[in-house]
Amino acid sequence: MELVGVADIAPTLSVRALKERGMPYAFFSALPENQNLFDEAEIPVSGMFADLISSVDIMLDATSAGIGAKNKVLYERHGKRAVFQGGEKDDVADVFFHGYANYEKGVGKQFLKLTSCNTTGLIRAVDCIDREVGVEKVAITIIRRVADPGDYHRGLTNALEVEPAPSHQAVDLMTIMPHVNATGILVHTPVTHGHIITVLITPIKSVSREDVISFLRGHLRIRMVKIADGFRGNASLFRYARDLGNPRGDMYEIAAWEESVVLSGKDIMFAINIPQEAVVTPENIDAIRAACSMQQSRLDGVARTNEYLGIGAWK
């Protein structure tokens, strides 16, 4: 794969940072009437959005919700494939896609839509258990970061906010894994580095706590961590990623706390951390592989992505 270029509508901080880095990727303007803004900021522009579309095999559309649906018309006109971010409506794509849960359904399809960051990590964990012992139902509570780092539009708050149940993540999980009954509650919290989800699973087959830990530990996109080792919460994991030297402090894996794994009768409960800025990156690459028919099977596709990104190398 080759990243041909990136596009934006204005000289945002991200675009200005690219310029300061020597513009490592060709940059394209997605809004011609803003060309004067790029000129004033001395941002080199390689062409317009249509030029970028004509130069690629597949687009990764990370625009704000609703814009991707409008861009789809351009992709159709140029006969291009596209992957849309999780905030778009489901009908924008041929398949609501997750690399581990339904890879084969995306093979050869023109338009795929990814799941949100929370849903991506949640499905990794539920799918992991489901493939081992089967899952009857899931109940989740999401402690959700209120905004990404640097986003001021949410305001400065000192409050928690509860959304009506069920949360869209539970509904989305059922869309991709229709054999699982899921529900959930979401709570917004005034933090920026990561979400935490508590997961309550009713398995089809009885399972021990040790089995659950083993299942989660065996998944390359899940890190088993311990509170006793210093992983006390989302900030610990973000700092750990920075200390690893990961670009932007990104971590592609979700983390599951070993001490959180408990049984209640037949039910399994545990907590996972979702690094929202990076967690969907592997699934984006899975989606490219599927849509472009680079690999036909789930195991082959996700394995190549994991190897390319170095996921699981630490195990």
Side-chain angles (χ1 to χ4, degrees):
M1 301 176 194
E2 177 190 359
L3 178 57
V4 175
V6 296
D8 208 337
I9 62 172
T12 61
L13 290 182
S14 295
V15 174
R16 292 174 186 272
L18 282 178
K19 177 203 170 187
E20 190 169 330
R21 289 172 55 195
M23 199 56 75
Y25 315 113
F27 177 77
F28 296 81
S29 171
L31 203 61
E33 53 266 41
N34 278 356
Q35 183 59 46
N36 64 307
L37 299 179
F38 294 114
D39 292 339
E40 291 172 3
E42 298 182 345
I43 304 291
V45 175
S46 297
M48 297 296 108
F49 191 41
D51 299 319
L52 175 59
I53 297 173
S54 64
S55 304
V56 304
D57 298 303
I58 186 167
M59 293 288 296
L60 299 180
D61 193 303
T63 56
S64 301
I67 303 301
K70 296 178 180 178
N71 290 341
K72 180 182 177 181
V73 176
L74 299 175
Y75 306 148
E76 289 176 319
R77 185 182 305 160
H78 287 80
K80 301 296 182 177
R81 303 179 187 277
V83 178
F84 298 96
Q85 58 95 5
E88 292 294 334
K89 293 183 178 179
D90 291 355
D91 60 9
V92 77
D94 303 311
V95 175
F96 198 9
F97 181 83
H98 188 281
Y100 272 81
N102 66 349
Y103 180 94
E104 284 84 0
K105 288 187 177 181
V107 174
K109 296 297 190 294
Q110 184 176 3
F111 299 118
L112 303 182
K113 193 195 91 159
L114 293 180
T115 53
S116 69
C117 52
N118 269 315
T119 310
T120 297
L122 174 65
I123 290 179
R124 284 185 196 170
V126 175
D127 178 72
C128 172
I129 305 298
D130 185 48
R131 292 182 184 276
E132 295 287 349
V133 294
V135 170
E136 177 185 342
K137 61 182 179 180
V138 176
I140 62 173
T141 299
I142 301 176
I143 302 97
R144 183 186 187 276
R145 69 95 182 91
V146 72
D148 285 327
D151 284 355
Y152 286 90
H153 65 277
R154 299 277 187 177
L156 305 176
T157 63
N158 183 27
L160 304 180
E161 182 181 14
V162 179
E163 284 195 356
S167 68
H168 82 78
Q169 291 85 359
V171 175
D172 291 347
L173 183 145
M174 289 189 289
T175 302
I176 287 183
M177 303 178 69
H179 59 286
V180 174
N181 182 18
T183 191
I185 294 172
L186 185 147
V187 182
H188 294 276
T189 57
V191 298
T192 61
H193 293 310
H195 316 281
I196 291 177
I197 306 178
T198 65
V199 186
L200 180 67
I201 289 177
T202 301
I204 293 176
K205 299 178 183 178
S206 295
V207 63
S208 70
R209 177 178 183 271
E210 291 69 27
D211 288 336
V212 174
I213 292 173
S214 177
F215 298 156
L216 295 172
R217 184 175 286 128
H219 196 296
L220 290 185
R221 294 186 191 174
I222 301 176
R223 282 179 177 257
M224 284 301 297
V225 298
K226 295 182 179 180
I227 298 171
D229 289 339
F231 291 101
R232 298 176 59 184
N234 61 326
S236 304
L237 286 153
F238 181 75
R239 177 175 177 176
Y240 191 66
R242 288 193 300 180
D243 290 342
L244 285 173
N246 293 357
R248 295 166 50 92
D250 283 347
M251 187 173 283
Y252 299 131
E253 308 94 342
I254 64 171
W257 280 278
E258 185 170 321
E259 293 95 331
S260 74
V261 180
V262 292
L263 295 185
S264 176
K266 184 181 177 181
D267 292 344
I268 307 160
M269 188 173 187
F270 55 89
I272 56 178
N273 181 78
I274 310 293
Q276 83 277 358
E277 293 185 286
V279 68
V280 299
T281 298
E283 279 71 15
N284 269 276
I285 297 178
D286 295 340
I288 294 172
R289 296 185 186 282
C292 295
S293 300
M294 296 172 68
Q295 284 80 41
Q296 301 294 313
S297 72
R298 175 183 70 92
L299 291 179
D300 190 13
V302 301
R304 288 175 184 250
T305 297
N306 291 342
E307 181 180 6
Y308 173 74
L309 293 177
I311 295 174
W314 59 278
K315 293 197 175 188

